Amino acid sequence: QVLFALNQTLLQHESLRAGSLQAPYTTEDLIKHYNCGDLNAVIFNHDTSQVPNFINTTLPPHEQVTAQEIDSYFRQELIYKRNERMGKRVMTLLRENTDKSFFFAFGAGHFLGNNTVIDVLRQAGFEVEHTPPGQPI
């Protein structure tokens, strides 16, 4: 599975570099939506935006099964569980230090798709506010 994932990742990067595959959004698109606090934008609603897309309809059936298994594993292990752990760490700090202020910064990938760090915190009853660029905290 690791070899399959590496090969698929390399093939995607080669296709992007050759121009035969178009990325669904640019880094600039991601930055613009993130800065505007537009986390409901289409680009933020794809759980697999953080990991290569292994599911490819041109693959033979047995490789499609492998691709689905890897995609599922990455989504669960690299996205959902990681965001859950990070959200719990934030909650612990906040609950144990009610007399202190905190600033938490996360990479944009932690705001993508479902079960984001923000989702974890809101589901636990915390209020999360976006601070636009240039606005004092």
Side-chain angles (χ1 to χ4, degrees):
Q1 287 183 338
V2 171
L3 285 174
F4 177 86
L6 288 172
N7 283 331
Q8 289 302 309
T9 302
L10 289 173
L11 287 171
Q12 285 180 20
H13 283 279
E14 288 171 358
S15 296
L16 282 168
R17 191 174 299 141
S20 60
L21 179 66
Q22 192 70 29
Y25 57 85
T26 66
T27 301
E28 289 77 23
D29 293 333
L30 185 65
I31 291 168
K32 181 184 92 178
H33 287 285
Y34 177 80
N35 282 340
C36 293
D38 186 10
L39 301 182
N40 292 320
V42 171
I43 61 173
F44 283 96
N45 287 323
H46 296 286
D47 291 334
T48 55
S49 296
Q50 301 174 66
V51 295
N53 182 19
F54 298 116
I55 301 170
N56 180 339
T57 55
T58 63
L59 294 172
H62 70 283
E63 288 188 358
Q64 285 185 20
V65 170
T66 301
Q68 183 65 51
E69 289 170 355
I70 293 170
D71 185 75
S72 214
Y73 174 81
F74 276 174
R75 183 174 297 133
Q76 190 63 39
E77 296 299 321
L78 297 181
I79 301 170
Y80 298 154
K81 285 185 180 179
R82 193 168 104 220
N83 287 344
E84 185 75 27
R85 279 192 309 270
M86 290 169 46
K88 285 181 179 181
R89 288 179 186 148
V90 167
M91 287 185 265
T92 298
L93 284 169
L94 293 173
R95 287 180 177 143
E96 290 177 356
N97 300 281
T98 56
D99 58 331
K100 294 184 180 177
S101 295
F102 289 90
F103 173 83
F104 298 101
F106 299 98
H110 299 286
F111 301 107
L112 297 170
N114 300 310
N115 302 312
T116 66
V117 173
I118 291 174
D119 293 336
V120 170
L121 294 170
R122 286 185 174 147
Q123 288 166 3
F126 286 87
E127 183 179 326
V128 180
E129 292 181 29
H130 170 72
T131 303
Q135 181 176 327
I137 298 175

